[in-house]
Amino acid sequence: MHEVIICEKPSSAEKIAKALSPSAKKKLYNKKVKYWELQRDSKDITVLSGVGHLYSLVPEKSKRFKVSFDLHWAPSHEVNKSSAFTRDYLRAIKKFGKNADSYIHACDYDVEGTLIGYNALKYACGQDSLNNVSRMKFSTLTKKDIVDAYENRIDIDMHQVDNGIARHILDYYFGMNISIALSDSVKRTKHRFLKLSVGRVQTPTLSILVKREKEIREFVPEPYWIIRAILDFEDIEIRHVERNIFDKARADEIFAKCQGKDAVVDEIDFTKSKTRPPVPFNLSGLQAEAYSVFGFSPKRTQIAAQNLYSAGYTSYPRTSSQKLPESLGFENIFRQLSANPEFKKHISNLPSKLRPNNGKKEDAAHPPIHPTGILPKSLNSDEKKIYELIVYRFIAVFFESAEFETMSATLDIEDEKFKFKRRRVTHKGWMEHYPFKKIDNEKFPEVSEGDLMSVKELIKDEKETKPPARYNQASLIKELEKKNLGTKATRADIVDKLYDRKYIEGSKIEVNKLGEDLIDTLNTYCSDLTSEELTRDFENKLEGINQDETTKESVIGEGEKDVKDILADIDKNQKGIGSKLYEAYQATNIVGECECGGKLVKRQGRYGSFVGCTNYPDCNVTYSVPKNASIIKKTCEKCGLPMIVAGKGKNKREMCLDPNCGKDNTKQYNPEEVGVCPKCGKPLLKRSGRFGEFVGCSNFPRCKFTCSLEDLENKLE
């Protein structure tokens, strides 16, 4: 009897094969793709793997690069050149996965993982494979969990499948279709190609950032004053109880009244407080903590956590849960972790009853992120940091609260009240076992009520209110989670995509003019696309598929209707949209001034990036931008053109955009006409290049005709 197991990734396939049989044999297909053969329970088992999605949604060939609602699944390597590496994995599944007696879906247990395995079974192994298939559900790639999942298989959750299909179709409708329509509006209005990117979640996310950008820009600072005094005793600083004083006259009154006067200790209070242990990590919690502690971007954290899971060291990372179930076997995990001396120092002090401080959020699919107990043999720097963060958080949640004592003192200076506070730890509790948390432990000064305290210095600070803080990647993902936009698995990718599209920049996120004008234009002509409510409504409807409250067909139908309404708005306002978006693109990509008075703009041509003048075709000045080079905010001291940076590491160097800088460039800027281009009929110009003089078409970069001076006559003939 032949059984086929389909896994999501090669590392998962290896873990599953070795867990089911220590004598599993590794095989190679086409000398590239690993698969595994083993025997168990009188069955011959073949373990195959994909590399994520092996199939992508595409329209009919006649509608490629056009708006389309008629989609089908096609092999990813046929859809996108960057997915060429998936071809051999798909071929291996087709070859070894057909005509088996039974099939097991063993991809990650979430919406994406379920869809990946379902498509591989349906399209690569054949529709009949779905008639005899079961599902493995596991949260760690440990031998115990894998064997348990194999021996207690369940049915494929078709609600998850339908959710995944509907989500991908909606993303295509809102992303690809509307992006194509916006690019077409620029092309038809300005006769220029401009690659634009919008998305069902991406665009509302950008809208949140644009709103914050405008709040910062429009913020009007308001002055306020703080009155504070430095005491002679231990240089204690006390502050007036009114704290931020917005009335200057009142601030001046306090300052004048207290100048040169001593302070009397009016009242001292001691209070006690507790700080409960942190809750277990879900993905967003881990991402936020890794950003705070290490400065890691959410995507960087997610990659490291995924690698740790694939290696069997930690549990499945894409979870929302903050509740650790007892079924994990806490004692066994801690026993294994104790083999590490550093971990053992903390584990040996655990209370006898292991009760974690669970949070409120639940996830039916997976528990919180936790160590499996298997100690890593080798990790890279990122993985080591994230692993230790996960382990110490897991340990800390089982300890008791930290306890603190706070001293609050009120002092009187000429009937004006001042205060200072100190806090010290009386019991470290969980904080002693979580090295990433700073412990407040201030010294209490020895003062008593009625003490007269000499004032060394009285200070009046003038300050201004500050605008709202910019989002960083971690705080933006928290905002998306709060607003229920996107999913735990996709939010980091959405933020990354906004950076890739050049809409945002910086660790403290700033939106550039193209990103802001894109949102302003969409708000003017088709505000539904920027709407958080519309996106959140679809997220709820997609979740409703999982709960059997609605159907895939219903959600897709609503999405198609909404997108068609948006497309109608774009078509109706094509001229205004095209003009505004192109103007924004131009402004965003201006890199300098041309000698003719025009603007030098960075453009994308068929053969790469170049810089050209906005006065084209009257001015033919162009500069190529070498591959992997970037234009920086710095000008050449000799000619005033922008500088570029090329190379990496020790080979990284700055240079002028003009390769002929410092040479006689008269011929470059005032080229001599020497004939007519045989390809397009535009004037041929004599130019100076890096390797001497040559003849080039004035219609560059649209026409690439060039030749040497010696070949000119032959070419024209």
Side-chain angles (χ1 to χ4, degrees), residues 251-497:
D252 291 341
E253 176 194 352
I254 297 169
F255 188 75
K257 190 177 179 182
C258 299
Q259 185 70 49
K261 307 297 182 181
D262 292 332
V264 176
V265 179
D266 192 33
E267 185 180 3
I268 298 175
D269 287 325
F270 293 92
T271 57
K272 294 184 178 181
S273 61
K274 292 183 178 183
T275 301
R276 287 176 61 81
V279 298
F281 277 138
N282 58 17
L283 180 58
S284 62
L286 176 63
Q287 288 170 326
E289 188 78 342
Y291 183 88
S292 173
V293 175
F294 306 124
F296 283 9
S297 71
K299 185 66 174 178
R300 185 175 174 184
T301 299
Q302 193 166 316
I303 289 171
Q306 180 66 36
N307 291 343
L308 292 169
Y309 161 71
S310 297
Y313 303 137
T314 59
S315 63
Y316 189 66
R318 293 192 285 276
T319 176
S320 300
S321 178
Q322 295 174 323
K323 295 187 176 183
L324 288 166
E326 290 186 15
S327 58
L328 293 179
F330 305 142
E331 295 88 351
N332 184 51
I333 293 174
F334 284 128
R335 187 176 65 255
Q336 292 180 77
L337 290 174
S338 294
N340 179 308
E342 290 301 314
F343 298 157
K344 186 176 181 179
K345 291 177 186 177
H346 303 277
I347 293 169
S348 59
N349 292 311
L350 279 167
S352 55
K353 290 186 178 180
L354 296 175
R355 294 177 181 172
N357 181 44
N358 287 325
K360 296 179 180 179
K361 295 180 181 178
E362 294 186 79
D363 188 328
H366 297 286
I369 304 170
H370 63 276
T372 62
I374 300 172
L375 293 174
K377 294 179 180 178
S378 63
L379 298 174
N380 64 33
S381 176
D382 282 8
E383 292 163 358
K384 185 175 187 295
K385 288 177 179 178
I386 297 300
Y387 179 72
E388 290 182 350
L389 194 63
I390 292 170
V391 170
Y392 283 118
R393 171 62 70 95
F394 181 70
I395 293 171
V397 301
F398 289 92
F399 277 95
E400 67 276 8
S401 298
E403 297 177 7
F404 293 88
E405 184 179 33
T406 301
M407 174 188 187
S408 300
T410 304
L411 295 91
D412 185 290
I413 305 178
E414 294 296 304
D415 294 327
E416 296 290 344
K417 301 298 182 185
F418 289 74
K419 276 193 172 186
F420 75 85
K421 282 187 178 184
R422 295 287 187 274
R423 191 169 90 137
R424 66 187 178 193
V425 63
T426 55
H427 177 65
K428 291 182 179 179
W430 67 270
M431 287 186 172
E432 188 174 3
H433 309 285
Y434 191 65
F436 307 103
K437 183 70 175 179
K438 183 182 177 182
I439 301 176
D440 295 330
N441 200 14
E442 298 173 302
K443 181 183 176 183
F444 284 8
E446 294 182 6
V447 295
S448 304
E449 292 179 2
D451 284 356
L452 183 67
M453 314 290 287
S454 175
V455 175
K456 182 190 295 185
E457 184 181 7
L458 188 68
I459 303 163
K460 180 174 64 175
D461 293 318
E462 182 175 357
K463 297 181 178 292
E464 285 186 338
T465 53
K466 295 181 179 180
R470 294 188 183 279
Y471 288 103
N472 57 48
Q473 292 190 47
S475 64
L476 178 58
I477 283 179
K478 273 194 170 183
E479 186 73 7
L480 295 179
E481 183 181 27
K482 178 183 173 183
K483 293 177 179 289
N484 192 25
L485 300 176
T487 68
K488 53 187 174 287
T490 61
R491 291 180 185 120
D493 289 326
I494 288 163
V495 176
D496 264 15
K497 194 172 288 185

